[in-house]
Amino acid sequence: MSGCCYRQCGSDRADDTSKGDLVSCSWRHGCENLHFGTLAGRVGLENLGNTCFMNTGLQCLSHLEPFAAFFLSGKYLEEVNRTSPHGCKGELADAFADLQQAIWQSDQKALSLGALRRRLAGFRPDLFENFEQQDVHEFLAFCLDGLHEDLNRVSVRPPPQTEEEERQDEALAAQREEDAENFRAALSWMRYLER
């Protein structure tokens, strides 16, 4: 992938044009002070029975560079919500950070994820019962939803909108004839951020 980083990261630095990965673009993601292993990112995940669905999902998430950098840099610690009743009390975020360190900073060729599998099974036992094969889509949805809740800044969620409040919002939008759709979109986004 020679020259890939130049195109992806917009680097004008000669030393960053050799790869298009987190290591060569570490300056862009706030990871320039991290030590990367010799196999950084090129680490296999051992299959533990029928865990290839889990391994596939974890490899995909681990190679989304800004996502992995968020955990590797420790920035996620500023966002962890350990009190939310909807999340995993920060344990899923911590487990994902540990995995990123193992994939990007160790010198191992392959990782055994037995401890991680047991940790994840504590949150969603149905995904790991009897070592049965599962759907990677369902696993990714679980991971992303769990990480979202573990990193959600909102500590007390407002109650859902009542029908009366929805009608009031609609009336406000109707008053803004020219940009009613933009107003509705902004209002919906604001309501989403409150949660």
Side-chain angles (χ1 to χ4, degrees), residues 41-144:
R42 297 181 309 269
V43 176
L45 303 178
E46 293 177 3
N47 193 7
L48 307 170
N50 284 331
T51 60
C52 51
F53 72 96
M54 177 183 80
N55 295 354
T56 301
L58 292 173
Q59 285 283 20
C60 287
L61 291 175
S62 297
H63 285 82
L64 295 171
E65 293 171 14
F67 195 66
F70 179 70
F71 288 93
L72 282 170
S73 67
K75 289 179 184 173
Y76 85 98
L77 291 168
E78 299 167 14
E79 307 292 333
V80 173
N81 185 341
R82 299 195 188 276
T83 60
S84 172
H86 305 288
C88 302
K89 310 285 188 238
E91 290 183 44
L92 185 58
D94 290 336
F96 194 76
D98 292 344
L99 176 65
Q100 296 318 294
Q101 288 177 343
I103 288 176
W104 291 96
Q105 295 180 305
S106 77
D107 290 323
Q108 293 178 267
K109 291 182 180 180
L111 300 172
S112 177
L113 300 181
L116 177 61
R117 182 192 174 283
R118 285 187 294 280
R119 233 168 146 179
L120 296 175
F123 305 123
R124 276 290 304 272
D126 59 301
L127 283 177
F128 300 97
E129 289 175 342
N130 303 319
F131 289 90
E132 292 178 6
Q133 185 65 40
Q134 299 293 335
D135 181 27
V136 70
H137 175 267
E138 188 174 351
F139 178 76
L140 284 170
F142 153 68
C143 284
L144 292 174

Side-chain angles (χ1 to χ4, degrees), residues 5 8-9 19-26 29 40 42 65 104:
C5 188
Q8 289 179 348
C9 297
K19 295 182 190 175
D21 61 15
L22 184 59
V23 177
S24 57
C25 297
S26 61
H29 299 296
R42 297 181 309 269
E65 293 171 14
W104 291 96

